[in-house]
Amino acid sequence: MDQDHDASLHAALSKARAENARLRALRQDDLRELERLRGSRDNLRALFHHAPDAVFICGMDERIINLNDRAMELFKASRAELAAMHLHRDLLRPNSPLGKFQEICSRLSTGETIAFQWVARRPKDGKLFPVEIILGKTVWDRQDAVMITLQDITHIRQIKNQLRRRRKLLAVILDGTPIATFVIDTDHRVIFWNKACELLTGVPKNRCLGKPVDSRIFYPGESRPVLADLVLTMDQEKIQSLYHKKNLSASAFIPEAFEASDQLTIQGVPRSIYFLAARCRDEHGDIIGAIETIQDITERTQAETELRASKRLLTEVTANIPGVVYQYQAVGQGRSRFTFISAGIWNLFGLPPEHTIREPELFFDRVDPEVRKQFSTSLACTDPPEHVVEFEFSMSSKEEEGAVRWFKNSALASKKSDGTVIWNGMLMDITEIKRIEQLRADVERMVRHDLKSPLTGIGGLARVLLQADLPVRQREIAATIYESAMKLLHMISHSMALFKMEEGTYELRPETFDLSELLHGLHEEFQPTAKSKSLSFVLLADDSPLAQSEPYMVSGEALLLESLLANLIQNAVDAAPERTEITITLRSPKTLRTNAHEIDIHNFGVIPEKIRDTFFERYVTCGKEHGMGIGTYSAMLIAKTHGGTIRFTTSETEGTHVIVVLPAVPPK
């Protein structure tokens, strides 16, 4: 019995020990779970206090139980101050949905949230700012509570407002652009149709917005996709199928864009239309739609057609001109080029026009280096003269050994607003003209030389007769023969001098002489002609009467200057109306305050308008029965030879002033 009792006690003790061990293990598990719960609680509290948004824990009676650190930062108040406040009354603008707090809580299920936007208010400074409020049921400290999260959305509002303003501005810009424009979304529905589109198509936006684009606005027949629809899906096959005959091409400037043009009838009016359609992407690169612009280019197409016709006409006309007509564009930095060359370049140089336009060096390589430099200097200048630029040059002929061909280049420049200089010029073969001019010069030189010998003989014989004892009548005849021979010899010598002046080989032999005496002598010489028209002469020196007894000394070749003044006075006598004055005024260097003399010959006649631009050129005359047109030309050469100038002014009220300016010291 005792043994059984001991065994029973021993078994009971073992069982008690096992249970005790099990309880100790359970206690350890509970301690570990408790520790884990404490860690979770600490983590939750850390998350609660460091949450990016303000969080309030409110009891079911709206009393604030707890709040996080962000709530204090947001409302600029301490924990104690906020805990003593009422969320609805003190921290939000009046009439917020939280005014029905109890009703909201009764309808709110566990795990469910309610969100809305309202305006919060800082209690100290009263500053208002927008917030998003989220409500959800929770348990806090073993009691039912409501967790209220407030997120400051001021920055989000600003971004949205800015985005809204930008969208509005974009809509205003697109609506105000003169180019017809529409936009479709990813469902191919129109979301924008501007005023220019309304005007072009005659279709108001209220008939288009929210609907696919009706292609029958542009194309007759069944409805079909427009270019924007095809670009949106980038249906290459259909794009090519519908637009391959409409000048289709990928845009060179806009990615994922195509352009095309077509002849369409819109609102019953035939038009040339240019289309451009492109995909639209957002800031993330996602496709959000497509935009298409429609431009009426009818006038531009007509202008281009007319321009092509004008170019054809220009080519045809210039092809028949005996020379090369060209246009040269000088933009500097080695980028100058021919923009037009007529077919005459083939006749003169054997160069195809189109090749020369592409490679100007084909022409410039054919001319001598000096001529090339002359071309470069004149054609490449950035500030061109307003007058025609002319120069002549020669080239060795490739057809005939030793032969020389002469050319004349004439060009007039115009400067565009971007600084580009355009030269319109003509290049002519003047070899034959040069040959004829040389022949004429040779003939004139021979005639002058051959006439001098017999005239000298005639004058000498007449002088011998005058030394004999002749009757009065015969003496008069001999004197006339002598004077005529001497005068003709003087004319030949003078013409030879003019010829040398033209060539630039005349050697001036200046002398000091009395210009007053010369003018008074000419005055006497022209008296008979002047009296026939009842003309009177007035001679002045520095606006005072020029007396014959008062010398006016100048330096120059007296015979040449006498010829100059005689020609100009003769012109004045011929042009002056009857019963008027001819005034010859001398102005000295002292009066002019320059190192030059001025001779002003004035009459009340008017130079005819048609010869004003060529007044000093050879053979220019108008209205003179026996005029040869070399008087003013001769005067111009003589003035230049003396280093001077000659000019004129003419008008109905003032008459004509021919003004000669001579340097006080002529060139040597």
Side-chain angles (χ1 to χ4, degrees), residues 299-318:
E299 292 184 2
R300 188 180 80 184
T301 303
Q302 290 174 349
E304 289 174 349
T305 302
E306 292 172 1
L307 179 61
R308 285 192 292 269
S310 298
K311 285 184 176 179
R312 284 196 300 270
L313 179 61
L314 177 63
T315 302
E316 293 169 2
V317 170
T318 55

Side-chain angles (χ1 to χ4, degrees), residues 95-240:
N95 302 318
S96 76
L98 285 183
K100 300 179 179 181
F101 185 82
Q102 297 297 333
E103 183 180 346
I104 291 174
C105 290
S106 65
R107 295 182 180 181
L108 197 62
S109 303
T110 302
E112 184 183 1
T113 60
I114 293 178
F116 61 90
Q117 292 183 0
W118 198 249
V119 178
R121 179 179 59 193
R122 290 196 182 116
K124 291 185 178 180
D125 57 15
K127 183 177 180 180
L128 302 176
F129 54 93
V131 291
E132 183 172 19
I133 302 174
I134 302 173
L135 284 81
K137 278 189 175 182
T138 187
V139 175
W140 192 269
D141 289 338
R142 295 182 296 279
Q143 62 176 318
D144 291 337
V146 177
M147 185 168 66
I148 303 174
T149 303
L150 288 84
Q151 181 185 11
D152 186 352
I153 58 173
T154 303
H155 184 61
I156 296 173
R157 281 279 184 90
Q158 289 173 346
I159 292 174
K160 286 183 177 179
N161 290 337
Q162 187 177 18
L163 182 60
R164 192 179 297 111
R165 285 194 297 271
R166 288 182 178 178
R167 285 177 176 172
K168 188 176 180 180
L169 178 61
L170 178 61
V172 170
I173 292 172
L174 288 176
D175 213 32
T177 180
I179 300 174
T181 305
F182 67 86
V183 182
I184 61 174
D185 61 16
T186 53
D187 294 325
H188 297 264
R189 298 185 182 279
V190 176
I191 58 174
F192 188 81
W193 187 272
N194 74 348
K195 290 180 181 178
C197 220
E198 290 182 322
L199 293 173
L200 177 65
T201 63
V203 179
K205 66 174 65 177
N206 56 14
R207 284 177 50 190
C208 301
L209 294 178
K211 303 174 184 177
V213 179
D214 188 351
S215 64
R216 290 171 295 185
I217 296 172
F218 310 105
Y219 297 101
E222 295 182 359
S223 181
R224 42 159 282 190
V226 297
L227 190 56
D229 293 317
L230 301 174
V231 168
L232 179 63
T233 58
M234 205 52 74
D235 190 339
Q236 297 278 2
E237 184 178 347
K238 207 156 190 176
I239 290 174
Q240 293 294 333

Side-chain angles (χ1 to χ4, degrees), residues 22 31 55 92 139 148 180 184 189 194 220 241 248 272 288 299 379 392 444 466 486 521 555 560-561:
R22 187 181 67 80
L31 289 173
V55 181
L92 296 178
V139 175
I148 303 174
I184 61 174
R189 298 185 182 279
N194 74 348
S241 172
L248 176 71
S272 295
I288 58 173
E299 292 184 2
L379 295 181
E392 298 176 359
E444 287 181 355
L466 287 172
M486 292 300 102
S555 181
L560 289 180
L561 292 177

